[in-house]
Amino acid sequence: MALRILGAPRRYIQGPGAVAGLPEIVATLGTRPVLIADPVALDREGAPLPDATVLRFAGEITKAEIARLAEAAKAAGADVVVGMGGGKAIDSAKGVSRRLGAPIVVVPTVASNDAPTSRLIVVYDEHHTIVEVEMLASNPDVVLVDTAIVARAPRRLLAAGIGDCMSKTFEAHACAKAGGHNFFQGRTPLAALALADACYATIRRDGIAALAACDRQVPDEALENVVESAVLLSGLGFESGGLSLAHSLTRGLTAHPKLAGALHGELVAYGTLVQVAHEGMDEAGRADIAAFSRACGLPTRLADLGLAAPSDEDYAIIAGPTLAAPHMKHLSRPASLDSIVAALKAVEAS
């Protein structure tokens, strides 16, 4: 029987003004930091680490971009990497950390997905199609989330984080029931299921209020709860719980040229509806999830993602890469091209 395995960052720190402690935290890990930052976040918030070499992320996380940043960090003699920004900037910093063998501190400036806590490095090509997933040897050394910064980010990004959260309870339980492996090649522990369930319960309770706090650009208890869910609970829930159809569908959706511009969490929110349809959830349950998605400004139809009136060819483009994704075996009902297309059509017709 496979071992039950749970992984997590060494430290997770969250709250308004938390970034003020970054220099002290970094000093415990190295003396020559490199800051890899999203240019939008850098221009908006400034560099929170005065003595660091600053490298600007170019916008798409490709093998070439990781190599460019790693070479520049190596030339600077970096012995600790700090990643600042959204998911792609953070994953690029993870890629540099992996190549340098250096510790990493993650400073998300948005709560649009759960990349900050995980070992995963999702690599794309220049056309925004996922081509590979690399892994750090272990989870980040420190994740530092300043919720005053997150509250100043656009509302759409927090909504995407809620969308990314939405799938975790369904995917983790599907993986566990199918006897699948999580991202540590272990079975799903009960702790991961509890975290995934808490993630979903929190966004359903506090999601709308957190979006209102984001509109005011002032963190409150609801925002703190949802940020923790989007960054920490969601990350632990997927990495130690396992994934299934909802995230597999991101492979297919990003393969379609009309859908490649959507945010990851928006794709996952739609993917959740497809997964629960595939798994046989009743119409009332599916309608409840869809209503919450709409209230958050998340997509419930392919038209919301940029593909109006999808054709059979469109469905085929999406279904092929989805079925080939490694997590598709984590389903109680085995999937086929026809069953994926049927679930997509059920969502479109509901």
Side-chain angles (χ1 to χ4, degrees):
M1 181 178 292
L3 301 173
R4 300 186 186 193
I5 304 175
L6 185 143
R10 287 173 56 194
R11 270 191 291 169
Y12 179 85
I13 303 164
Q14 175 186 313
V19 77
L22 182 62
E24 182 179 352
I25 290 166
V26 170
T28 67
L29 299 171
T31 59
R32 296 182 303 280
V34 61
L35 174 67
I36 296 172
D38 180 280
V40 174
L42 195 60
D43 293 343
R44 190 182 77 214
E45 302 296 340
L49 203 57
D51 297 330
T53 298
V54 178
L55 302 176
R56 288 178 174 251
F57 172 58
E60 186 60 270
I61 177 169
T62 62
K63 282 187 171 292
E65 175 64 359
I66 294 173
R68 178 187 74 83
L69 293 168
E71 187 63 31
K74 185 177 179 180
D79 62 358
V80 56
V81 178
V82 180
M84 172 180 164
K88 289 191 176 185
I90 287 168
D91 275 8
S92 71
K94 290 183 200 172
V96 173
S97 167
R98 181 173 182 262
R99 282 155 180 77
L100 268 58
I104 182 167
V105 179
V106 174
V107 184
T109 55
V110 298
S112 60
N113 57 58
D114 49 28
T117 63
S118 82
R119 298 180 303 143
L120 274 64
I121 304 163
V122 182
V123 182
Y124 294 76
D125 63 19
E126 292 77 4
H127 307 291
H128 190 66
T129 300
I130 299 170
V131 295
E132 186 177 353
V133 177
E134 298 182 0
M135 298 273 189
L136 288 171
S138 59
N139 294 74
D141 295 271
V142 181
V143 178
L144 181 70
V145 189
D146 190 319
T147 46
I149 292 174
V150 172
R152 291 194 288 268
R155 174 193 177 99
R156 182 188 176 194
L157 298 177
L158 182 62
I162 292 170
D164 198 22
C165 284
M166 197 180 301
S167 73
K168 299 311 187 300
T169 186
F170 304 107
E171 293 193 277
H173 281 281
C175 181
K177 287 177 183 177
H181 286 170
N182 62 20
F183 283 86
F184 299 97
Q185 292 307 303
R187 295 291 298 274
T188 302
L190 295 177
L193 294 176
L195 291 167
D197 292 346
C199 179
Y200 184 71
T202 302
I203 62 165
R204 290 301 306 258
R205 184 190 67 226
D206 294 330
I208 302 302
L211 289 167
C214 190
D215 290 338
R216 297 191 302 271
Q217 299 191 340
V218 178
D220 61 9
E221 191 68 12
L223 182 69
E224 295 288 344
N225 291 342
V226 168
V227 169
E228 183 180 341
S229 295
V231 179
L232 181 62
L233 299 181
S234 182
L236 299 180
F238 98 77
E239 195 170 19
S240 294
L243 294 178
S244 185
L245 194 159
H247 269 75
S248 297
L249 193 67
T250 64
R251 297 286 186 109
L253 294 172
T254 60
H256 197 294
K258 290 188 177 180
L259 302 172
L263 297 174
H264 173 78
E266 294 170 339
L267 300 177
V268 173
Y270 178 79
T272 300
L273 294 173
V274 176
Q275 173 162 338
V276 297
H278 191 279
E279 293 283 79
M281 180 181 283
D282 62 49
E283 195 169 324
R286 289 161 46 200
D288 175 63
I289 297 171
F292 174 70
S293 292
R294 283 192 292 272
C296 293
L298 290 166
T300 59
R301 301 284 190 281
L302 287 172
D304 300 329
L305 292 165
L307 180 60
S311 65
D312 287 342
E313 182 180 359
D314 292 321
Y315 287 126
I317 291 170
I318 295 167
T322 298
L323 187 63
H327 317 302
M328 282 301 295
K329 58 183 178 290
H330 299 158
L331 287 168
S332 58
R333 173 193 172 200
S336 65
L337 288 174
D338 287 344
S339 71
I340 294 169
V341 170
L344 286 163
K345 289 184 175 180
V347 171
E348 293 299 304
S350 61

